[in-house]
Amino acid sequence: MKILIVDDEKLLVKGIKFNLEQDGYETETAYDGEEALKLARDKSISLIILDLMLPNIDGLTVCQKIREFSSVPIIMLTAKTEDMDKILGLEYGADDYLTKPFNILELKARIKAILRRVTNQNSVGVKPVVSAGGIELDYNLRRVKIENKTIELTAKEFDLCDLFVSNPGKVYSRENLLDIVWGYDYPGDIRTVDVHVRRLREKIEPDAAAPTYILTKWGVGYYFKEN
């Protein structure tokens, strides 16, 4: 699998590249937003590590532009500690985030968890298409169709949608969703779930302000209702 590392700190990129290649990953590197977008389009990338603060085009914009043509998993890196920066990264389509400075072992754990889930979804034995309540999930393309309209989802959005659609009526707390979908002891807060659920609703609901598919059970969590 090939991982694209995007950061203008060359020593950091060198360190991440070395550690990932020691684990058997192939890597591509970019030091600004323009270069990152070109590589994301031209190369077969399995995951992107993307810094928030980049020359030419900032990381949030790069993330947003990548989401226009790809659902490749993105881990956002940020040197800032403000919650808004993290939430914005998720709002723009990032699947996860790490705040600098970070432990390389933690980064590798995040990468393994994300790639394992994507690989499992695409493995032999997984049903290529599942339908429920008017929503059709295509596991080969990792896309969703509603009334014959194709909807592009990020990796985490697809995983959330898959979990909900596969278990209609079952209520999941935010902690449950972090454990199941993120696949490790996530150090962030539960607002990560709220951001992803909100983005998913904006894409699949006729009216995100009055959802009919993914509903909230107040004080408990979220569940999927077959319409």
Side-chain angles (χ1 to χ4, degrees), residues 33-169:
E34 290 180 0
E35 188 179 9
L37 282 172
K38 184 177 187 303
L39 289 172
R41 286 184 181 276
D42 297 344
K43 300 289 184 177
S44 179
I45 303 295
S46 300
L47 182 142
I48 299 174
I49 300 168
L50 178 64
D51 187 37
L52 178 67
M53 305 299 291
L54 291 171
N56 300 327
I57 306 175
D58 65 85
L60 289 177
T61 302
V62 171
C63 184
Q64 188 177 38
K65 288 181 177 294
I66 288 173
R67 284 291 170 255
E68 294 174 1
F69 62 85
S70 174
S71 60
V72 61
I74 296 174
I75 299 176
M76 186 76 76
L77 302 181
T78 171
K80 298 183 177 180
T81 58
E82 288 83 354
D83 289 337
M84 185 54 64
D85 292 309
K86 301 169 185 176
I87 292 172
L88 275 174
L90 299 176
E91 290 278 12
Y92 276 59
D95 297 280
D96 205 346
Y97 66 83
L98 272 176
T99 301
K100 296 178 180 177
F102 55 84
N103 188 311
I104 190 64
L105 296 178
E106 177 65 20
L107 175 61
K108 291 198 286 187
R110 305 279 183 104
I111 291 170
K112 286 180 180 178
I114 291 174
L115 292 180
R116 185 186 306 119
R117 176 165 288 274
V118 172
T119 299
N120 288 343
Q121 291 286 6
N122 291 329
S123 63
V124 176
V126 174
K127 294 181 180 179
V129 177
V130 170
S131 298
I135 296 180
E136 180 180 285
L137 277 74
D138 186 323
Y139 289 91
N140 289 328
L141 298 176
R142 290 181 66 80
R143 291 176 179 171
V144 167
K145 277 189 177 181
I146 301 177
E147 297 180 352
N148 292 320
K149 179 183 178 182
T150 299
I151 300 169
E152 297 284 350
L153 301 180
T154 68
K156 278 294 184 292
E157 290 165 358
F158 185 91
D159 292 340
L160 274 174
C161 192
D162 175 26
L163 182 65
F164 285 130
V165 171
S166 300
N167 300 276

